[in-house]
Amino acid sequence: MADAGRAPDPQGARSPGEFIAALQALKDWSRLTYRELTTRADAVGDVLPRSTIANMLGRATLPREELVAAFVRACGVGPAELTVWLAVRKDLAARAAGVTEIEPVERVEPVEPVEPVEPVERGEPAPPAALASSRTPEAGARRLRLPMLSAALGLTVVVAAVAAVLVWRAHDDEGAGDGHGGWGDKGGSVAVSPDVPAPAPGKYRIRAVHSSLCLSERRTDKTSWVYQVPCAEVFPSFSLKRLDDGLWQIATLHPEHGPGCSGIMGQSKAEGAWLGDDYCESRGAGEEFRLEAVDRPAEGFRLRPAHTGQCLGLPDGTTRRWAHVVQLPCRSGVPGQIFRFDPVGSGAKKEPSGAKGEPSGAKGEPSGAKG
């Protein structure tokens, strides 16, 4: 998989299927949703419907040249690299047509443009480095480094990641934490409750216990990031769907874009990676979750992305409205990582999943509008 700073190189593709795989890798590198790719293409006069992108990436046949050009531009690749993508496609098309003498594709050194970073609201956590670079309108690729330097850097990253995982696990297992009181603290550490049943599949408002705010998109955004907002303002509707192997899917139903799923964008494994909505099956295990019931420091569930085992949460336990929901290391006694599921649309009052006879809203606030 290409590193976060360098766009995938298609020159290794030897078949239409491998070329499609390179296009998928480019989308993953861009960290952009189908919706965002369509919006960016439209801004420069290209036509790139979401359904066309999905169909292109789901087939093993070579896409049209104009479709490849629009897609690659929308992903943020510069003119020099776009030339390489089109040349590789032309080469593969010629081979498929039975032409034997093909002019070889000359390897082009990628150019590194400097682009502005999307502004961040005051008080809002900045996106992680890998995600921030991929969200720029025309993110370019970095120059190729020497093999020995790349190997050394790769080894350093692996060692650091292993050390970080060991520290997080030790932190979680030992119950170290801040022990924030005032939101149901029962001793500081997290106590997993394996006997507590998971909520039944259905429609819910997913509420952060520490803030009594609920997961939602921003109705006016062209992006699909998930924030915490007053529960009465949740948009679109959210529901839980049971998968195999004890996993769950957080499904959405958008009035314009139809069915979708919440997930960690681009299957990022970075701490602080944002949660967002997109078409289902576009991020693999990044949109599959384990529901871990806990009864300390508050009763509810931790939502753990299957591809990392980390936890969804609000950075530093913020209670600010419109704060991004992100992926964080699971830590004991830290507010912002425990959620409850308030049933929607039943027509009757039900106890929210994850609570045992406690009021559903913090500080006496309602958890959301009546379903």
Side-chain angles (χ1 to χ4, degrees):
M1 185 175 181
D3 63 54
R6 188 175 67 205
D9 187 346
Q11 295 179 81
R14 295 293 178 265
S15 68
E18 291 180 0
F19 188 73
I20 293 296
L23 290 172
Q24 179 65 59
L26 181 64
K27 179 185 180 297
D28 294 342
W29 170 82
S30 76
R31 303 292 198 271
L32 296 170
T33 67
Y34 290 127
R35 196 187 309 175
E36 290 170 315
L37 288 170
T38 297
T39 300
R40 291 174 61 143
D42 183 65
V44 296
D46 288 331
V47 178
L48 191 64
R50 294 182 297 277
S51 59
T52 301
I53 301 173
N55 289 336
M56 176 184 70
L57 297 179
R59 295 176 179 175
T61 55
L62 209 57
R64 303 187 313 276
E65 180 175 309
E66 61 270 23
L67 176 56
V68 172
F71 177 79
V72 171
R73 275 193 293 265
C75 285
V77 169
E81 289 175 289
L82 174 58
T83 300
V84 175
W85 281 90
L86 295 180
V88 171
R89 186 215 166 272
K90 183 177 180 180
D91 180 33
L92 292 172
R95 292 181 190 177
V99 179
T100 56
E101 295 184 2
I102 305 299
E103 182 179 350
V105 177
E106 180 180 355
R107 181 173 292 274
V108 179
E109 188 74 11
V111 181
E112 182 180 17
V114 177
E115 299 293 342
V117 176
E118 182 175 311
V120 179
E121 293 184 25
R122 182 176 180 83
E124 182 176 288
L131 185 58
S133 64
S134 67
R135 290 265 303 143
T136 54
E138 288 87 23
R142 296 180 180 173
R143 295 185 177 275
L144 298 175
R145 294 175 172 80
L146 293 175
M148 291 183 64
L149 178 58
S150 298
L153 289 175
L155 180 60
T156 302
V157 171
V158 170
V159 172
V162 171
V165 170
L166 292 176
V167 169
W168 294 339
R169 288 183 176 177
H171 193 288
D172 203 20
D173 294 342
E174 293 172 5
D178 297 334
H180 291 268
W183 61 288
D185 196 329
K186 300 180 181 179
S189 64
V190 166
V192 177
S193 303
D195 296 332
V196 174
K203 291 184 179 180
Y204 293 94
R205 291 189 181 94
I206 304 174
R207 179 167 50 85
V209 174
H210 76 293
S211 64
S212 201
L213 299 176
C214 290
L215 272 57
S216 174
E217 290 186 41
R218 192 191 298 266
R219 188 182 294 267
T220 57
D221 273 4
K222 291 184 178 180
T223 59
S224 54
W225 304 120
V226 175
Y227 310 86
Q228 65 171 3
V229 307
C231 295
E233 300 175 17
V234 168
F235 173 85
S237 63
F238 287 75
S239 61
L240 285 178
K241 291 187 177 181
R242 193 190 304 272
L243 304 176
D244 295 332
D245 301 322
L247 297 174
W248 292 81
Q249 192 176 65
I250 302 175
T252 59
L253 183 59
H254 195 284
E256 178 182 355
H257 304 292
C261 290
S262 296
I264 300 301
M265 305 308 285
Q267 281 194 77
S268 173
K269 296 184 179 180
E271 176 180 344
W274 290 350
L275 182 71
D277 291 335
D278 203 349
Y279 291 100
C280 296
E281 301 182 1
S282 63
R283 291 150 299 181
E287 57 190 38
E288 298 174 352
F289 299 88
R290 295 191 183 279
L291 305 186
E292 184 179 72
V294 298
D295 61 15
R296 252 195 345 258
E299 293 169 351
F301 292 88
R302 295 202 294 196
L303 304 180
R304 308 188 70 155
H307 72 300
T308 62
Q310 297 188 46
C311 285
L312 295 187
L314 283 302
D316 301 319
T318 179
T319 59
R320 183 177 57 82
R321 297 182 179 187
W322 300 108
H324 279 277
V325 178
V326 303
Q327 171 179 259
L328 297 167
C330 300
R331 293 196 173 100
S332 299
V334 175
Q337 296 188 355
I338 299 178
F339 298 85
R340 291 182 186 160
F341 299 92
D342 300 336
V344 172
S346 65
K349 293 183 178 179
K350 292 184 179 180
E351 184 178 272
S353 296
K356 297 180 179 178
E358 296 182 3
S360 61
K363 299 180 182 179
E365 296 178 5
S367 63
K370 293 181 180 179

